[in-house]
Amino acid sequence: MRPYKYKSTGIFFHYQRGERLKDFPSALEGILDKDNITYCDALYDFPPDSIYDIPPVPLSELYQVHSSLMVEQVKQTGSYEGVLYSVSGTLSAAEKVCLGKITNAFVFTGYGDHHAGRNFFGGGCYFNGAAIAAHIIKKTYSVKRIAVIDTDAHHGDGSWDIFENNPDVLYLCFCSGRSYEKNKNVNINVPNNINDKNYLDLAEKAFEKHINPHEPEIIFWNWGYDGTIGDYGDIGLTPEFHSMLALKIRRLAEEVCAGRLITVLCGGSRRDFAYKLIPKIIKVLAHLEDPT
Ligand SMILES: [Zn+2]
Ligand SMILES: [Zn+2]
């Protein structure tokens, strides 16, 4: 285990279309002024008073993860620019973690990662931000072993496709599919109706069995809240569940990789949940307030 000292948490934000994140960044009041918070934002769609300090994604790297045909198809969707901002937030977070400028991060995205594969996309996902960031930090910062934890309610078919032949990346997907594994891609079956405690127990066991032995140098967490009671992937989780899971994953990262953790917002549609849950997750990441 590396010596661990928490330094700070990065928040990566871009202004975007849609209802879900309308309350942000103002809902981060009381968090952004803390000494251990680094706030990076990008402009998109309309320009409030903010500083563009998330560098764009190197486009050549997109083609290392996705086929050129797919990149062309995404360009036709009208979401291309917003998708690039989402990916650049994740990449920028990973680079700042690798450089030791921040310990962990929360990335606001407009589009998810995990239904974007090498040559297909769907379900509100266009490019796979965690996969692109993983690819670049492996190359640029000599990071070898990476873990991607996916707790969105649905199966990450795109991430599975991209990581399937890459034993350096452990992809751990919690979803309703059967439990099986192949080449460090691991699927953990989550019952369609589960309570908070049983999910947390399931996660703990899976982390011990798969993440710890992999000894990742950095962890990406594709966090979705769509499994919350009343959202579109409802599997019976309460809103309180998410900060408890965040604490477990933060502690896991502290135990195995010096706290290096990138939390990427994925599924979930409700604006009231976003307003309530995201600040709590960030407070956990930033050691400001642990759930009781
Ligand atoms: Zn989902
Ligand atoms: Zn899955």
Side-chain angles (χ1 to χ4, degrees):
M1 183 185 154
R2 295 162 177 235
Y4 167 70
K5 191 174 180 305
Y6 169 80
K7 196 186 282 176
S8 68
T9 294
I11 299 174
F12 297 80
F13 183 80
H14 68 276
Y15 296 89
Q16 50 193 275
R17 298 186 185 97
E19 276 297 304
R20 167 164 92 153
L21 297 175
K22 276 260 167 72
D23 299 307
F24 292 89
S26 57
L28 299 175
E29 199 182 336
I31 294 178
L32 294 182
D33 59 349
K34 295 287 187 292
D35 290 343
N36 62 325
I37 295 288
T38 304
Y39 182 62
C40 301
D41 61 2
L43 298 179
Y44 175 56
D45 206 23
F46 55 94
D49 183 20
S50 65
I51 303 160
Y52 178 81
D53 50 9
I54 300 178
V57 186
L59 293 183
S60 60
E61 300 299 339
L62 277 183
Y63 296 95
Q64 303 294 318
V65 174
H66 299 296
S67 73
S68 47
L69 175 67
M70 179 178 152
V71 175
E72 288 311 309
Q73 287 169 341
V74 172
K75 281 183 187 169
Q76 309 302 319
T77 62
S79 298
Y80 181 65
E81 192 188 17
V83 175
L84 288 182
Y85 277 114
S86 293
V87 174
S88 66
T90 306
L91 173 60
S92 195
E95 289 185 320
K96 280 191 164 54
V97 167
C98 288
L99 290 167
K101 292 185 173 167
I102 56 175
T103 307
N104 60 35
F106 185 92
V107 184
F108 286 86
T109 62
Y111 305 92
D113 285 349
H114 75 163
H115 296 309
R118 279 170 296 189
N119 194 30
F120 62 89
F121 60 97
C125 306
Y126 296 88
F127 293 143
N128 197 311
I132 294 165
H135 166 76
I136 292 174
I137 61 170
K138 272 169 78 78
K139 211 162 97 172
T140 313
Y141 300 96
S142 306
V143 174
K144 186 163 160 54
R145 289 176 316 280
I146 294 169
V148 178
I149 298 172
D150 185 342
T151 64
D152 183 282
H154 302 99
H155 179 59
D157 53 348
S159 300
W160 191 280
D161 174 61
I162 291 171
F163 298 130
E164 193 166 26
N165 296 312
N166 187 345
D168 290 335
V169 179
L170 174 77
Y171 175 58
L172 187 60
C173 178
F174 293 82
C175 69
S176 61
R178 69 187 169 92
S179 293
Y180 67 112
E181 52 182 287
K182 186 185 174 192
N183 278 349
K184 297 269 180 154
N185 270 16
V186 180
N187 206 62
I188 303 287
N189 172 258
V190 179
N192 274 325
N193 201 354
I194 191 167
N195 63 31
D196 297 353
K197 182 181 181 306
N198 288 348
Y199 194 119
L200 292 168
D201 288 347
L202 197 67
E204 173 112 20
K205 285 197 191 95
F207 297 162
E208 271 172 27
K209 186 173 174 195
H210 300 286
I211 304 276
N212 293 56
H214 184 63
E215 297 183 337
E217 292 152 79
I218 189 167
I219 296 174
F220 289 86
W221 175 25
N222 278 351
W223 170 61
Y225 62 84
D226 52 354
T228 315
I229 297 166
D231 213 322
Y232 62 81
D234 185 346
I235 52 170
L237 299 170
T238 72
E240 288 66 40
F241 162 79
H242 298 280
S243 42
M244 291 189 280
L245 181 63
L247 180 61
K248 200 172 272 300
I249 294 179
R250 190 199 83 199
R251 285 181 173 158
L252 172 73
E254 289 168 354
E255 193 188 323
V256 301
C257 52
R260 291 151 53 124
L261 169 67
I262 316 292
T263 303
V264 183
L265 174 61
C266 291
S269 65
R270 282 183 46 174
R271 178 177 171 177
D272 58 335
F273 284 164
Y275 177 77
K276 185 171 171 178
L277 303 181
I278 292 172
K280 282 191 176 167
I281 298 272
I282 293 173
K283 282 180 185 169
V284 171
L285 294 176
H287 293 250
L288 296 172
E289 190 183 299
D290 286 350
T292 48

